[in-house]
Amino acid sequence: EISACLVGSEMCIRDSMNPTPVSVVMPSLNQAAFIEAAARSVLQQDYPALELVVADGGSTDDTHSTLERLSQEFGDRLRWQAAPDSGPANAVNKALALARGGIVGWLNADDLYKPGAIAAAVAALQADPSLVMVFGEAEHIDESDRIIDRYPTRPATTPVAHFQDCLLYTSD
């Protein structure tokens, strides 16, 4: 399954010499079978100012050893913490608290970004400062990356109010 949700604001627009930093937050719990591919789909994007922040709820599988190995490969572009949480929403909030980017993306640990997804999202946000969110089409895939079917997404004309279930708000 491939899915993505990016949230931004007009405050994130900068010139091309100083690209807007992007943080992708990833909740995880016992995702050893998927987390390496998910993390690489973020960290191997062609966008230069990018970090991945993983909040793991206390995995008991090989998730932590995979994250340690990836941390050695990708350095400070991958940051992660392991601590008990009360579920995926709490894990996302913990990762958001650590995020440093002016634009935030959210990817679950068993999902993938397609190459170029982050650059395309940033370009869309910068092209239209009135946008608060961009998202892409998605596909259900199997363990061999074969497309099973299209993932239902809302049309681009959907009012923001209909995304209340996926937007996170903070006070200024």
Side-chain angles (χ1 to χ4, degrees), residues 84-172:
D85 59 46
S86 59
N90 185 237
V92 168
N93 284 329
K94 288 181 175 191
L96 283 170
L98 299 172
R100 299 181 287 213
I103 297 175
V104 175
W106 173 353
L107 186 71
N108 291 325
D110 61 349
D111 294 337
L112 305 169
Y113 278 150
K114 284 190 172 185
I118 292 174
V122 171
L125 288 167
Q126 290 179 338
D128 185 348
S130 71
L131 295 177
V132 295
M133 174 178 71
V134 296
F135 58 95
E137 293 291 319
E139 302 160 336
H140 285 285
I141 60 173
D142 66 16
E143 59 279 348
S144 300
D145 294 341
R146 287 186 298 255
I147 297 172
I148 298 168
D149 61 19
R150 304 288 301 159
Y151 186 84
T153 56
R154 295 177 175 139
T157 56
T158 303
V160 171
H162 292 170
F163 290 93
Q164 295 296 334
D165 59 335
C166 79
L167 292 179
L168 303 169
Y169 295 95
T170 59
S171 59
D172 291 335

Side-chain angles (χ1 to χ4, degrees), residues 26-117:
M26 181 179 290
S28 174
L29 180 63
N30 293 324
Q31 294 293 317
F34 307 105
I35 197 160
E36 181 164 0
R40 286 185 183 282
S41 82
V42 173
L43 294 165
Q44 292 175 338
Q45 291 282 314
D46 59 356
Y47 191 77
L50 174 66
E51 70 172 356
L52 173 61
V53 182
V54 179
D56 182 84
S59 292
T60 57
D61 62 4
D62 290 331
T63 298
H64 297 168
S65 60
T66 300
L67 290 169
E68 275 296 329
R69 185 171 40 77
L70 290 169
S71 291
Q72 291 173 12
E73 181 178 345
F74 290 101
D76 65 357
R77 294 183 62 220
L78 170 61
R79 295 183 301 122
W80 66 280
Q81 69 172 16
D85 59 46
S86 59
N90 185 237
V92 168
N93 284 329
K94 288 181 175 191
L96 283 170
L98 299 172
R100 299 181 287 213
I103 297 175
V104 175
W106 173 353
L107 186 71
N108 291 325
D110 61 349
D111 294 337
L112 305 169
Y113 278 150
K114 284 190 172 185

